[in-house]
Amino acid sequence: MNQPVIQQARPLNVFQHVPMLNWLVLLLAVLSLATATWLTPHDTWFNHIGKPDFEVVVPKEFGDWVDTGDGSGGMVVSPEQAAAVSSVYSQVVTRAYQYKPTGEVLMLSVGYGDEQLRSKQLHRPEACYSSQGFLIDQLASERIKVGNTEIGLFRMTGTMGNRTEQVTYWIRVGDEVISGPPTDLNIKRMTLGLHGFIADGLLFRVSTLDTDPSKAKKLQDKFISDLLMSVNKSQQIALIGQPLNL
């Protein structure tokens, strides 16, 4: 009787698959590089909106408002704060405006960064004021309406000694005013990056020396509305990301 022939299993030679693994690794590396290149922004929003000059974008006189000529804008700025501002912003405009009907004075600060990279991101005013010794109170987000356009902004009160400053500000990143938490800024930056743009950023801040928040709010809202209504569409885009819907 013939005995069945038992064939021994041949050991698997893993080395015969090494070339294929190498090709797979190479392919994945190429795909990763291509994806990274595709996702890397190649333009700035600064170029996209026409390289605005904010000394020109914000007029020195409009409606019932006129620049007093105070280049510091009447604001308290320490040398350390001035150095930080110059390292973050590519353009800074500081002015003081007088409201001719009443003689009241309002302080304006516009800080613009053409590239919102990690080391050059906008500084929120509450952090800047706190670093200079101000106590911050009543920080809250609100929305105002100019024409048919709603703009999200923040208000706060800063107090240092006998100085009480009522502050209103907004932050624009790309084509949008960001009225939410700091994480919203990063989400917007990443969204623009996915569309091939390095985000820019604008901090628009107005303030008045006043212990009455309601009174200051009316004056500041009047300034914001008059300013945005007085400039053209491209200047509105530079300030709030979109032209006003009138």
Side-chain angles (χ1 to χ4, degrees), residues 29-75:
V30 170
L31 288 175
S32 298
L33 179 61
T35 301
T37 302
W38 179 67
L39 292 176
T40 299
H42 297 288
D43 197 1
T44 65
W45 200 255
F46 174 68
N47 290 324
H48 179 72
I49 60 176
K51 302 181 179 181
D53 179 353
F54 286 92
E55 285 284 354
V56 176
V57 169
V58 182
K60 292 187 175 182
E61 185 171 355
F62 56 93
D64 289 323
W65 302 90
V66 60
D67 178 13
T68 66
D70 181 0
S72 70
M75 287 171 280

Side-chain angles (χ1 to χ4, degrees), residues 156-170:
M156 70 181 195
T157 300
T159 306
M160 182 173 63
N162 295 325
R163 183 184 179 99
T164 300
E165 200 168 328
Q166 308 295 337
V167 181
T168 296
Y169 75 88
W170 72 72

